[in-house]
Amino acid sequence: MNQIRSLTTYLKSMAADKSVHATLPFHAILLLSVCCSIAVAQPAPPPDQRSTGTAELQSNHEVIVPAASPGYVALFTEYDRNFNNGRGVSDADNTNGQLAWLQSYQMLAYMQMYRATSETKWLDKVAVQFDRALECRDDKLGRVDVHAKKPLKGWGTATYDKAGWHVFVVHTGMVCQGPAEFVRMVKENPALQSDYGTTATRFLSEIETIAAEANQQLKTNAAGEGWYEDPGIGGNGGIVPLNMSNAMGSVLVELYRVTGKPDYRDKATALATYFKNCLRDNGNGGYNWSYWPKTSDEKVVSGEDISHASLNVDFASRCASAGIVFTAEDIEKFARTWLRTVDKGNGKWAIRVDGSDGSIAPYIPQAPGRWMSIIVHLDVETARKFYGSVANAFAGENINRPSRALGVANLARFQPKP
């Protein structure tokens, strides 16, 4: 891990250079605001640390997606073998967000690779690597959250909160998403019970305990809307951005599908209702929404960037699969948002869901690859077009980090049969 440069040192060196502010990740902007003594009431929707702040952790050699006839399974296998010797970053802790924004995508990618190939070696990797993550959870290491004044059942970081070590609900949600899928896959498949049943039961217990503590910060209103609040997030009355709530929301949906418990359904329903009420018709058959939540009478001035948006779109897709708030018609609108507003054609994509800002770095190809869960709800023709757009985004690109590898795994899973 000595290849990882300290993000704090990096930010301090750039704090005086306002030209770089627009390229920094959200939590990095929080830290930078301390360095610069800037008080911001509503932080602007930022670029995404999932592709910038962790870019130094790369595989030992390049894995390039060919422009023609790509073999996505072989490409992912080669990437995984050469990325920290097939261990992901499961040996790391979350001090600089490595588990939340690297390892989480690695485990999600393994789940897609299992779906693509039915090879249980990918499930083995999730089982081993999530165990490593559990070993360095804060309550097991005695790391005290600066706001809770005690160790929490999550993965804290020293990087993103000026007050000190803190567990963010989005980090907890991201780390648990792939393992929650693992649990559901095993519980739904009798053939997997003998090899993975005990592990799945143990993981379910761990994830339920983690979620129960995180849900102490879940708030609801009389309109049936729900959101998470976090004392480490400034500028919006403690209410976190949509993608942060919905990262944990995805875990709740998976827990509901596994256990059938009404409490998980109710909480996921509240989060989904809140998100859906923040959506606006974009006049082109799709949706527009912002990074921060908006009340029903607030105008969306700037659309969310397509990278953070992937967490919201994936949550909506999971909800649709579980029969919670969102329908196949809603998911079609997300697809039309991509196809009619974001994809500009000729290898150009907007970086926001409202179609604005033509600079694609650092969102292509990682962002479109992470929208792909919507394919299961699309009609055949829309699915074909959406898949083609994502495949075009990956053609010729280097697969050098988990966020991109997840897209390759999704391309393998949904690749049309000859």
Side-chain angles (χ1 to χ4, degrees):
M1 302 309 294
N2 58 5
Q3 297 177 358
I4 303 177
R5 178 171 49 185
S6 167
L7 182 57
T8 303
T9 301
Y10 174 62
L11 289 174
K12 287 180 178 178
S13 71
M14 296 197 301
D17 183 359
K18 290 186 170 58
S19 67
V20 302
H21 291 187
T23 66
L24 295 177
F26 169 67
H27 297 309
I29 286 177
L30 293 183
L31 180 60
L32 185 57
S33 68
V34 180
C35 299
C36 300
S37 299
I38 299 172
V40 181
Q42 278 273 352
D48 191 348
Q49 76 180 65
R50 293 182 272 291
S51 56
T52 56
T54 54
E56 290 177 85
L57 233 177
Q58 299 180 2
S59 52
N60 329 41
H61 80 270
E62 291 187 339
V63 178
I64 304 295
V65 178
S69 303
Y72 295 116
V73 171
L75 287 167
F76 182 91
T77 302
E78 182 184 4
Y79 151 82
D80 183 61
R81 182 173 60 247
N82 290 287
F83 188 81
N84 293 341
N85 298 312
R87 296 173 69 87
V89 289
S90 59
D91 294 313
D93 65 11
N94 198 50
T95 299
N96 292 315
Q98 299 98 317
L99 293 179
W101 303 128
L102 287 171
Q103 185 58 29
S104 68
Y105 294 129
Q106 194 78 4
M107 292 186 290
L108 282 165
Y110 291 146
M111 290 307 303
Q112 306 321 309
M113 287 300 295
Y114 172 72
R115 292 181 171 98
T117 66
S118 297
E119 294 178 352
T120 56
K121 66 179 182 180
W122 304 116
L123 297 180
D124 293 338
K125 284 179 170 286
V126 177
V128 170
Q129 294 184 18
F130 187 52
D131 259 333
R132 293 191 190 121
L134 288 171
E135 289 171 2
C136 69
R137 206 171 66 195
D138 280 16
D139 60 317
K140 298 186 179 183
L141 297 180
R143 290 172 165 168
V144 176
D145 184 278
V146 68
H147 300 291
K149 310 301 182 186
K150 64 180 181 179
L152 297 177
K153 297 177 177 65
W155 294 267
T157 171
T159 304
Y160 306 123
D161 188 340
K162 64 183 180 181
W165 188 272
H166 181 48
V167 174
F168 291 91
V169 68
V170 62
H171 286 195
T172 302
M174 291 304 298
V175 175
C176 290
Q177 281 183 11
E181 286 189 17
F182 171 93
V183 172
R184 179 167 61 84
M185 182 66 69
V186 173
K187 295 292 187 181
E188 291 178 349
N189 190 338
L192 297 175
Q193 290 294 317
S194 60
D195 290 334
Y196 302 102
T198 300
T199 300
T201 297
R202 178 166 55 84
F203 282 180
L204 176 60
S205 177
E206 294 277 13
I207 295 169
E208 286 199 281
T209 299
I210 291 166
E213 184 176 80
N215 286 339
Q216 294 175 21
Q217 303 303 317
L218 178 61
K219 312 299 180 182
T220 58
N221 62 19
E225 299 173 321
W227 61 86
Y228 287 95
E229 295 183 356
D230 190 326
I233 302 293
N236 203 39
I239 299 176
V240 305
L242 288 167
N243 71 86
M244 295 188 183
S245 280
N246 291 339
M248 193 66 203
S250 287
V251 177
L252 299 182
V253 173
E254 292 298 323
L255 288 176
Y256 168 60
R257 295 183 70 182
V258 170
T259 68
K261 293 179 180 178
D263 184 60
Y264 293 133
R265 180 196 60 215
D266 294 345
K267 287 179 168 58
T269 297
L271 291 167
T273 300
Y274 191 50
F275 176 40
K276 191 164 184 178
N277 287 345
C278 290
L279 299 174
R280 306 288 186 267
D281 189 301
N282 70 358
N284 198 23
Y287 282 131
N288 185 28
W289 67 96
S290 66
Y291 178 83
W292 291 96
K294 297 290 185 183
T295 60
S296 58
D297 58 348
E298 286 184 289
K299 182 180 180 181
V300 172
V301 177
S302 178
E304 184 171 41
D305 67 82
I306 60 174
S307 185
H308 287 99
S310 68
L311 300 181
N312 291 319
V313 171
D314 181 65
F315 169 64
S317 181
R318 292 176 193 267
C319 286
S321 294
I324 296 173
V325 179
F326 287 94
T327 65
E329 182 179 356
D330 292 312
I331 307 306
E332 287 277 348
K333 289 184 178 180
F334 285 118
R336 289 195 290 269
T337 301
W338 185 273
L339 292 172
R340 298 179 184 179
T341 303
V342 175
D343 189 340
K344 302 294 188 181
N346 298 317
K348 296 181 180 180
W349 291 266
I351 71 166
R352 302 192 184 282
V353 296
D354 60 10
S356 65
D357 199 334
S359 174
I360 64 172
Y363 301 122
I364 302 297
Q366 56 94 0
R370 290 167 36 230
W371 281 54
M372 291 189 75
S373 61
I374 69 174
I375 283 181
V376 299
H377 300 291
L378 304 180
D379 65 73
V380 173
E381 182 60 19
T382 305
R384 181 190 65 79
K385 291 179 180 178
F386 186 83
Y387 186 94
S389 177
V390 177
N392 287 340
F394 272 83
E397 292 287 345
N398 184 12
I399 307 308
N400 56 12
R401 64 196 67 133
S403 58
R404 294 184 176 202
L406 175 54
V408 172
N410 276 325
L411 286 165
R413 175 188 176 186
F414 294 113
Q415 189 165 24
K417 304 301 181 197

